[in-house]
Amino acid sequence: MVYHLVRGESTLKLYVIYNVLEVFDKLFCAFGQDVLDAVLFVFLYTDLHWVWCGLSFLAAALYVFGHAFIIFLQLITLNVALNSENNALFTLLVSNNFV
């Protein structure tokens, strides 16, 4: 279903979608490093109540699922560009080299 939603977009929109997803990927990477460091600190170095440990684990799980979804959308966008009839993949790859 997601493939067909992205497939209907033009080459320029694919370029914009892919670059927005790439920016979100970089933001999620930076945020995720802090979240996972905080979870490690809570589990190893503090004697907090089990509720705080559960909340930090829930935050880490939400981060992992969110980041996986962003990467999945990037994969779908590249798949649409690869399967398009009009050199969308070439346009997408060449334009990303100049950003």
Side-chain angles (χ1 to χ4, degrees), residues 22-56:
E22 193 169 331
V23 167
F24 276 121
D25 179 40
K26 290 178 183 178
L27 287 173
F28 265 73
C29 284
F31 179 69
Q33 185 68 36
D34 293 336
V35 167
L36 294 177
D37 283 345
V39 169
L40 181 69
F41 181 78
V42 164
F43 279 112
L44 293 180
Y45 302 115
T46 62
D47 292 330
L48 291 176
H49 192 61
W50 63 271
V51 173
W52 291 110
C53 292
L55 286 175
S56 63

